[in-house]
Amino acid sequence: MDWDKLRIFHAVADAGSLTHAGDTLNLSQSAVSRQVRALEESLNTILFHRHARGLILTEQGELLFDATKAMAKRLDAASARIRDSEEEVFGELRVTTTLGFGTMWLAPRLHKLYEKYPDLNIDLMLEERVLDLPMREADCAIRMKEPSQADLIRKRLMFVSMRLYATQAYLDAHGTPETPQDMADHRLICQNPGSDQVSAGAVMIQSLLTNNIQSRLNVNNYYGVLQAVLHDLGIGSLPDYIVEESPDLVRVLPEVQSQEIPVYLAYPEELRHSKRIQAFRDFVQEEIALSRKHMKEQGNL
């Protein structure tokens, strides 16, 4: 099969549109269409069903797309390794993690990484969905559970726990709960226990809700929970690392906390020798060590 035609087929299958694929490839729609048609003729099969809303792969097209995705993944990995200098760290690094950890812990520290490696370009993808690292949806991930995908290098970075926090202003106005039962007189700010979150946090929330809490604010990420707590709306369930960045928060009911949640760094096996990955890994490990030391000195661990 013609490599160039396969490249064009892959772009069309990925975009689901001749026009969008043409924009990506800097080719006209008619040129893209001719190449796809020529590939279909050479294979003596139909690769796409064509309709008004775009293109849908046929069964044969799906088989070929699986093959070209694997090819693209390997080419991306090879390209990344070729671009990695023996002595310098530069180029793009795609990092994925949760919205809470990314906004509240990682992003505020990245200036240190850029100071050391000014030619590094980081694409930070913050979402709860677990991206497919072997298929190169991202180069590395920081996740609140051990990744289950194959062909990944995994390193446990630390443990975190979910705890209860409020501002002193809120506690002065509404009182400080002494027992979990006292939470019935307060507003609980948390992620919905049925949402996509770490199970340890959901278990803690479910336990708290048995205390007949009448007022609750559900937010679908921890950054939103933090903002609500900082604006004196109630008592929030937040990860323990938040106190280092928000020292004005007061811990409530110290005996209430979730089980420890492991935090992992993961990246594909083929990026083991990537200078960018090594630089990011070392940076995260150093920052976690400093963070945990600081929290211990403050008595927050």
Side-chain angles (χ1 to χ4, degrees), residues 122-241:
I122 297 175
D123 184 359
L124 192 56
M125 296 174 279
L126 306 181
E127 53 184 293
E128 305 310 312
R129 181 174 70 91
V130 176
L131 299 187
D132 193 331
L133 298 184
M135 290 305 298
R136 299 304 307 278
E137 288 187 322
D139 296 316
C140 64
I142 298 176
R143 286 291 168 192
M144 306 301 142
K145 61 180 179 180
E146 185 172 5
S148 59
Q149 294 165 304
D151 301 323
L152 293 181
I153 295 173
R154 305 161 175 78
K155 181 167 185 60
R156 193 173 66 203
L157 299 172
M158 62 175 174
F159 290 95
V160 300
S161 295
M162 301 301 300
R163 298 172 177 176
L164 296 176
Y165 297 96
T167 60
Q168 190 60 57
Y170 173 85
L171 297 175
D172 289 344
H174 300 277
T176 302
E178 301 295 333
T179 68
Q181 291 73 30
D182 293 341
M183 286 295 295
D185 300 322
H186 294 271
R187 180 176 299 111
L188 176 64
I189 307 171
C190 60
Q191 281 196 307
N192 188 306
S195 66
D196 185 13
Q197 62 172 310
V198 291
S199 59
V203 169
M204 188 184 84
I205 293 168
Q206 290 282 20
S207 177
L208 286 169
L209 293 178
T210 63
N211 295 298
N212 197 31
I213 297 174
Q214 297 299 309
S215 182
R216 191 169 87 210
L217 172 62
N218 289 334
V219 187
N220 67 349
N221 62 71
Y222 291 128
Y223 180 73
V225 173
L226 173 63
Q227 293 306 306
V229 172
L230 290 175
H231 286 82
D232 309 324
L233 286 178
I235 297 173
S237 170
L238 287 163
D240 57 14
Y241 59 76

Side-chain angles (χ1 to χ4, degrees), residues 58-75:
T58 62
E59 182 179 354
Q60 292 79 9
E62 290 280 5
L63 288 172
L64 187 58
F65 189 40
D66 285 343
T68 59
K69 280 193 293 187
M71 290 163 53
K73 182 188 80 168
R74 301 299 297 179
L75 288 170

Side-chain angles (χ1 to χ4, degrees), residues 244-260:
E244 187 183 4
E245 303 304 317
S246 303
D248 294 335
L249 291 180
V250 178
R251 188 173 177 189
V252 177
L253 297 175
E255 72 277 13
V256 175
Q257 69 176 41
S258 74
Q259 291 184 340
E260 289 188 327

